[in-house]
């Protein structure tokens, strides 16, 4: 924890809360999680950089997209600590998240398209399963909904 004199410029937690729409308790939580790193005045008051507004907004958006705190922390750890992140820095993180989102979208589309059919779960309770997964052949690849996890009926038994 770095202590700076009271005269130090910076945004208070109230300023950051007003600019991001986040509750102060959420901002303190994100600080505890290592997502922002405010400095402290001599009296212990948090002071945030303007760049923290973008960091916290990114956290909020990322969580809404389903990313975990750990994934967000990992992405933010690639940003420079000694300067305000540039557009290029944010583009690099966005490209990484885009790849993850594309994978999730593909997985969700597959789930949507196959949800009413056999999922290779080993239940053998549907008449259709006798056609798609006779004698629970999907189990040879492991437990769980094998076809939704990426296996195909042609993979079974290999």
């Amino acid at each position: 924890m770095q202590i700076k004199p009271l005269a130090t410029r910076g945004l208070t937690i109230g300023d950051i809360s007003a600019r991001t729409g986040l509750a102060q308790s959420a901002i303190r939580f994100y600080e505890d999680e290592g997502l922002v790193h405010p400095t402290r005045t001599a009296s212990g008051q948090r002071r945030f950089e303007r760049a923290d507004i973008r960091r916290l907004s990114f956290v909020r958006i990322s969580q809404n997209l389903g990313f975990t705190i750990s994934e967000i922390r990992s992405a933010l750890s690639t940003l420079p600590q000694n300067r305000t992140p540039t557009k290029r820095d944010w583009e690099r993180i966005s490209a990484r998240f885009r790849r993850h989102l594309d994978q999730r979208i593909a997985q969700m589309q597959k789930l949507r398209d196959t949800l009413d059919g056999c999922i290779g779960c080993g239940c053998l309770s549907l008449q259709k399963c006798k056609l798609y997964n006779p004698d629970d052949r999907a189990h040879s690849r492991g437990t769980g909904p094998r076809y939704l996890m990426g296996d195909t009926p042609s993979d079974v038994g290999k």
Side-chain angles (χ1 to χ4, degrees):
M1 179 178 3
Q2 189 179 30
I3 307 252
K4 290 187 175 183
L6 271 176
T8 298
R9 290 186 184 203
L11 301 169
T12 66
I13 196 167
D15 296 332
I16 290 289
S17 176
R19 294 288 301 272
T20 62
L22 292 167
Q24 291 183 23
S25 59
I27 296 167
R28 287 189 291 274
F29 171 76
Y30 294 141
E31 177 188 1
D32 291 344
E33 290 296 321
L35 303 177
V36 289
H37 308 281
T39 56
R40 299 286 183 141
T41 64
S43 62
Q45 186 182 45
R46 292 170 176 82
R47 291 295 178 160
F48 294 86
E49 299 294 325
R50 289 198 175 280
D52 290 326
I53 294 170
R54 183 165 284 197
R55 281 177 174 268
L56 290 167
S57 296
F58 175 79
V59 170
R60 187 174 187 184
I61 291 166
S62 298
Q63 285 186 300
N64 286 341
L65 292 172
F67 289 95
T68 65
I69 292 290
S70 178
E71 291 168 322
I72 297 166
R73 183 185 312 107
S74 176
L76 289 176
S77 72
T78 67
L79 292 176
Q81 292 294 325
N82 57 345
R83 66 170 169 76
T84 300
T86 64
K87 182 178 181 200
R88 178 86 173 116
D89 293 324
W90 288 109
E91 286 172 348
R92 189 175 20 76
I93 288 178
S94 294
R96 176 178 167 187
F97 272 38
R98 177 183 279 283
R99 286 190 300 275
H100 288 283
L101 288 172
D102 287 344
Q103 291 169 352
R104 287 182 186 171
I105 289 168
Q107 185 179 26
M108 294 297 288
Q109 287 173 330
K110 183 176 182 177
L111 175 62
R112 178 201 63 209
D113 294 343
T114 60
L115 194 56
D116 61 346
C118 178
I119 60 175
C121 65
C123 71
L124 294 175
S125 63
L126 301 172
Q127 285 298 98
K128 235 177 171 180
C129 283
K130 291 180 183 174
L131 298 173
Y132 292 111
N133 190 19
D135 301 319
D136 194 16
R137 288 189 318 221
H139 184 266
S140 68
R141 302 290 291 185
T143 59
R146 301 309 313 168
Y147 299 159
L148 290 179
M149 294 167 62
D151 293 345
T152 63
S154 62
D155 293 331
V156 173
K158 289 184 179 179

